Amino acid sequence: MEKISTVTGVAVPLRRSNVDTDQIIPAVFLKRVTKTGFDDALFHAWRQDPEFILNDPAYQGARVLIAGPDFGTGSSREHAVWALRDYGFDVVISSRFGDIFRGNSGKQGLLAAQVAYEDVERIWEVVEAEPGIPVTVDLVERTVSVGTLTVPFDIDDYTRWRLLEGLDDIGLTLRDEESIAEFESHREAWRPKTLPIREPAESGSL
Amino acid sequence: MNAAPPNGVNTSEARPRTLAEKVWAAHLVKKGEDGTPDLIYIDLHLVHEVTSPQAFDGLRVAGRPVRRPDLTIATEDHNTPTLAIDRPIADPTSRTQIETLRRNAKEFGIRLHSLGDVEQGIVHVVGPQLGLTQPGITVVCGDSHTSTHGAFGAMAFGIGTSEVEHVLATQTLPLKPFKTMAINVEGTLRPGVTAKDIILAVIAKIGTGGGQGYVLEYRGSAIRALSMDGRMTICNMSIEAGARAGMVAPDATTYAYLKGRAHAPAGADWDDAIAYWETLATDEGAEFDAEVFIDADALEPFVTWGTNPGQGVSLSDAVPDPASIADQHERAAAERALEYMDLAPGTPLKDIHVDAVFMGSCTNSRIEDLRAFASVIKGKRKADGVRVMVVPGSARVRLEAEAEGLDKVIEAFGAEWRFAGCSMCLGMNPDQLAPGERCASTSNRNFEGRQGKGGRTHLVSPLVAAATAIRGTLSSPWDLENDGEVR
Ligand code: SF4
């Protein structure tokens, strides 16, 4: 995972709320078994419409997506993050994110910056007045700047640190391998195990 | 007989705690410091073909094994056909995902229930049916409806593919504690009103974002009176309120469901387990971060009119007028939803004709759901021009239903009796709505295009699905009673 500290690039104002993961990437694309090559799938249904903002030449090569509230709700599909990443987005700005989506983002190097709704409105206005104007998202300072406007964003400290350091999750956890083994040594006999395979008791309901 | 205090439980702790806090504490491998998350142990990891390929891929690339194959189980569900299951899967991408899962399960030593196997089915139906889902455990799956398993008093939540990889490699997850919300449902449901109506009413009340960051604990006399299948329906849709998980404290109903199931504790283990399970209920005086109250006596059959599960009303109501919605985002969402759904404000819901009825999904495809559906349609014929599909949640549920003769009732009604899987819940297999088609569905999501591109979904209970299939318009069993009266 690459380190992120600041991102500067074209920003797309997506004036829609409640953009669920089915809209970000429809289920039909979940059939792939690789982690890349999802850029064409992003907002697939909406992109059929030539008027859809992502089809506007002014916003080509965008790195920042500025969405309405409740972005990334719905299904847990991580493909939503891959699709955004593959398309070229490094940052999504919204006043509220779906929990799972936000978690997935941090792990894939996509910065989910939570910005107060009034500030999102202000950023939209600036960007719409001058499409293609560069927007800078500074993870160190936790700010979004465009033109003369600078607003703060929220991100939890841990995710921020991870993004800044470009740290892989599993490696981090495996540093605690001893604690895990310790915990497992106390796991009660009655807790469920999938193996060996057992058959239901005669008297069982099934 | 005396259960030793489980891991992480500080028996001297005096502060009253919630069910969720207790389960969390019992799975704490390492407490987070300075804003880092806690490391939480995972008791049960459920795997399916859609969200796992990239996770296994990641393990392979890093040369990591699966840490606990004995706490992991996989089934095929999202892509599986529900007809002609003995033939090769026609769609090449579906086939690839399933073949990839089979290869990965073999390579990494994971138990897999494939198409044709008696334990194959929707992952959230299979875990409980095998007795693997138990009170007080932690359950994860790369699927948001993992919240279903919370019906047993488990802490169960959906994760993304990189977390799937993380759990495969470490059997743990770094997590921040969730906040807790009590959903108190007091009173008695009227006949014809079900668990599905409770949860649709909860979501309409708190909104699709209302549960964000919370574990919901469903409490109160109406919840206690529910069967396990009903509790699963409710917990299943917790995610539709934005919550990470939903839980119900275990009780005699839970134990009766589990006893004798293949992977439920047996012998002395059973007694030890019960002794522990009895300690899990939220303590008297424990504080929740938020509370919601629902009057069960007042509930009616519920139905959604829009494109998110929070856009629902009682079936006896009309399609709301967006102009009456104060919040600007909700108003805009309602306008967009009505356009997509092709509905005019003020239309009585009962005047809405459907083209299809889908009875299935991890919300409502268990044996009790099928029994409820069959009880309404028995001896009747479906409405002309309405396509009715009944898809059991697992191969075992299908067998059980057939042993009770439900398949005969369903076929005599004119409905299609299918093989187990997710089917038209998300239309990854050939079971899809055509553009513009309208469906009464017992599933959990009415998002745009969810059941097929351009398809329109009304979320309903199995009883409403059945009555709707009979009348061809959104209906509840109450309307059938009225039909029967000679006027
Ligand atoms: S039935 Fe539907 S909601 Fe449930 S796991 Fe399958 S696709 Fe997901």
Side-chain angles (χ1 to χ4, degrees):
Chain A
M1 197 166 107
E2 274 175 47
K3 298 183 181 187
I4 304 184
S5 57
T6 45
V7 173
T8 299
V10 172
V12 184
L14 183 69
R15 280 194 183 260
R16 294 194 187 199
S17 62
N18 249 302
V19 176
D20 59 68
T21 50
D22 282 67
Q23 307 314 320
I24 300 173
I25 178 167
V28 60
F29 293 101
L30 309 194
K31 298 184 173 192
R32 299 181 182 173
V33 292
T34 54
K35 273 190 164 184
T36 53
F38 287 96
D39 54 336
D40 57 324
L42 182 70
F43 299 127
H44 189 264
W46 292 343
R47 271 161 81 189
Q48 308 309 306
D49 172 5
E51 299 292 303
F52 182 58
I53 188 116
L54 236 52
N55 293 328
D56 184 335
Y59 296 113
Q60 296 317 296
R63 297 182 67 190
V64 180
L65 183 68
I66 313 162
D70 291 318
F71 187 86
T73 52
S75 139
S76 58
R77 62 190 65 162
E78 205 159 345
H79 309 64
V81 177
W82 299 333
L84 287 160
R85 294 289 290 133
D86 275 357
Y87 184 87
F89 288 117
D90 294 308
V91 181
V92 182
I93 293 172
S94 172
S95 58
R96 216 157 53 186
F97 291 98
D99 278 342
I100 298 178
F101 175 84
R102 191 191 3 237
N104 291 341
S105 299
K107 295 175 177 125
Q108 303 291 328
L110 179 69
L111 169 55
Q114 188 166 334
V115 172
Y117 183 71
E118 306 76 59
D119 288 338
V120 173
E121 282 274 8
R122 292 162 69 198
I123 304 171
W124 272 340
E125 278 161 23
V126 178
V127 171
E128 282 165 349
E130 198 181 324
I133 182 176
V135 170
T136 297
V137 180
D138 186 334
L139 183 57
V140 180
E141 299 296 329
R142 302 186 210 222
T143 55
V144 180
S145 316
V146 55
T148 55
L149 176 71
T150 295
V151 299
F153 72 82
D154 268 342
I155 185 165
D156 69 275
D157 291 339
Y158 181 67
T159 305
R160 174 174 170 269
W161 169 70
R162 297 274 314 272
L163 288 168
L164 287 171
E165 299 291 326
L167 273 175
D168 161 56
D169 251 359
I170 296 175
L172 254 175
T173 295
L174 287 177
R175 296 197 306 195
D176 290 322
E177 214 275 326
E178 263 180 43
S179 313
I180 300 172
E182 226 284 305
F183 185 95
E184 285 175 329
S185 70
H186 302 300
R187 194 173 184 268
E188 299 82 354
W190 43 261
R191 290 202 184 255
K193 279 193 182 165
T194 58
L195 296 171
I197 294 175
R198 286 174 20 190
E199 297 300 325
E202 281 311 311
S203 61
S205 24
L206 270 176
Chain B
M1 286 282 278
N2 281 335
N7 280 316
V9 170
N10 178 355
T11 45
S12 66
E13 187 160 11
R15 188 176 66 80
R17 294 183 305 166
T18 61
L19 166 62
E21 286 175 281
K22 290 181 192 185
V23 178
W24 188 275
H27 291 85
L28 199 56
V29 172
K30 197 179 162 202
K31 181 113 196 78
E33 291 156 13
D34 305 330
T36 61
D38 292 347
L39 193 61
I40 294 296
Y41 198 78
I42 303 303
D43 282 312
L44 178 63
H45 186 187
L46 308 166
V47 173
H48 63 87
E49 76 273 16
V50 180
T51 50
S52 66
Q54 288 92 351
F56 284 112
D57 228 26
L59 291 184
R60 208 174 285 120
V61 169
R64 289 171 175 143
V66 172
R67 183 178 179 88
R68 296 295 300 263
D70 61 336
L71 304 184
T72 311
I73 186 168
T75 79
E76 301 167 0
D77 54 10
H78 282 66
N79 282 286
T80 52
T82 55
L83 288 173
I85 61 166
D86 48 343
R87 282 202 235 120
I89 300 172
D91 176 56
T93 39
S94 290
R95 198 169 61 230
T96 306
Q97 280 201 347
I98 286 183
E99 282 169 358
T100 305
L101 178 61
R102 290 179 186 172
R103 253 200 330 274
N104 284 330
K106 202 160 174 211
E107 179 180 339
F108 289 93
I110 309 267
R111 174 178 176 181
L112 168 66
H113 294 291
S114 283
L115 204 54
D117 182 310
V118 65
E119 305 297 354
Q120 177 268 337
I122 306 172
V123 68
H124 309 309
V125 176
V126 169
Q129 141 189 315
L130 283 169
L132 285 166
T133 303
Q134 295 172 15
I137 66 168
T138 47
V139 185
V140 296
C141 175
D143 186 284
S144 48
H145 294 98
T146 310
S147 58
T148 311
H149 306 264
F152 292 79
M155 172 93 72
F157 46 90
I159 56 178
T161 297
S162 53
E163 290 171 303
V164 171
E165 184 180 337
H166 196 282
V167 175
L168 288 172
T170 71
Q171 205 58 36
T172 63
L173 272 181
L175 288 169
K176 293 260 177 77
F178 308 131
K179 290 181 289 182
T180 56
M181 183 187 293
I183 309 278
N184 301 293
V185 191
E186 294 288 353
T188 312
L189 294 177
R190 284 183 270 174
V193 184
T194 65
K196 183 66 165 280
D197 304 303
I198 295 181
I199 188 63
L200 286 173
V202 168
I203 300 165
K205 180 159 183 158
I206 71 176
T208 50
Q212 263 184 37
Y214 290 98
V215 172
L216 312 183
E217 186 185 330
Y218 301 97
R219 302 155 59 80
S221 53
I223 302 296
R224 296 261 73 89
L226 290 175
S227 67
M228 289 314 294
D229 286 3
R231 293 177 190 182
M232 282 188 255
T233 297
I234 291 195
C235 289
N236 173 274
M237 290 192 69
S238 302
I239 180 74
E240 307 311 335
R244 277 314 289 277
M247 300 175 91
V248 175
D251 59 14
T253 304
T254 322
Y255 313 148
Y257 177 99
L258 278 169
K259 187 141 181 121
R261 291 195 184 252
H263 287 268
D269 281 348
W270 174 257
D271 299 329
D272 285 350
I274 294 242
Y276 174 54
W277 296 345
E278 287 286 319
T279 69
L280 288 170
T282 291
D283 296 327
E284 193 73 40
E287 278 183 30
F288 290 91
D289 298 304
E291 265 194 282
V292 169
F293 296 86
I294 302 272
D295 178 6
D297 296 293
L299 287 180
E300 294 183 19
F302 223 78
V303 58
T304 60
W305 49 265
T307 54
N308 76 53
Q311 292 172 325
V313 289
S314 291
L315 185 51
S316 56
D317 284 349
V319 174
D321 186 350
S324 67
I325 299 173
D327 181 273
Q328 57 157 325
H329 300 298
E330 272 181 39
R331 186 166 59 240
E335 280 164 1
R336 202 180 143 77
L338 290 187
E339 195 190 323
Y340 182 84
M341 294 295 289
D342 190 26
L343 289 174
T347 309
L349 282 149
K350 287 187 183 168
D351 288 354
I352 298 174
H353 284 267
V354 300
D355 306 297
V357 171
F358 172 62
M359 171 67 210
S361 91
C362 58
T363 315
N364 284 121
S365 64
R366 297 177 189 81
I367 188 67
E368 242 179 52
D369 301 311
L370 298 181
R371 283 183 192 138
F373 183 83
S375 73
V376 177
I377 63 165
K378 194 167 180 156
K380 299 201 166 66
R381 277 295 293 181
K382 71 175 182 67
D384 287 339
V386 177
R387 175 181 177 209
V388 184
M389 244 172 74
V390 183
V391 185
S394 70
R396 199 176 268 282
V397 167
R398 185 180 148 97
L399 287 181
E400 203 180 353
E402 290 181 350
E404 296 179 14
L406 302 185
D407 56 324
K408 295 283 174 302
V409 173
I410 288 162
E411 280 169 352
F413 178 64
E416 301 169 44
W417 175 238
R418 297 296 190 98
F419 287 90
C422 295
S423 180
M424 203 193 268
C425 173
L426 88 169
M428 274 184 88
N429 73 350
D431 308 340
Q432 295 181 6
L433 293 178
E437 271 192 324
R438 187 181 298 284
C439 179
S441 176
T442 63
S443 58
N444 46 40
R445 285 191 172 148
N446 50 349
F447 298 158
E448 289 181 23
R450 167 86 175 181
Q451 297 194 287
K453 202 169 166 216
R456 303 181 174 124
T457 304
H458 296 274
L459 300 178
V460 298
S461 74
L463 294 180
V464 171
T468 301
I470 294 168
R471 298 180 93 231
T473 48
L474 291 175
S475 309
S476 82
W478 296 353
D479 303 308
L480 297 176
E481 283 167 27
N482 297 339
D483 286 350
E485 286 168 22
V486 184
R487 292 187 183 245

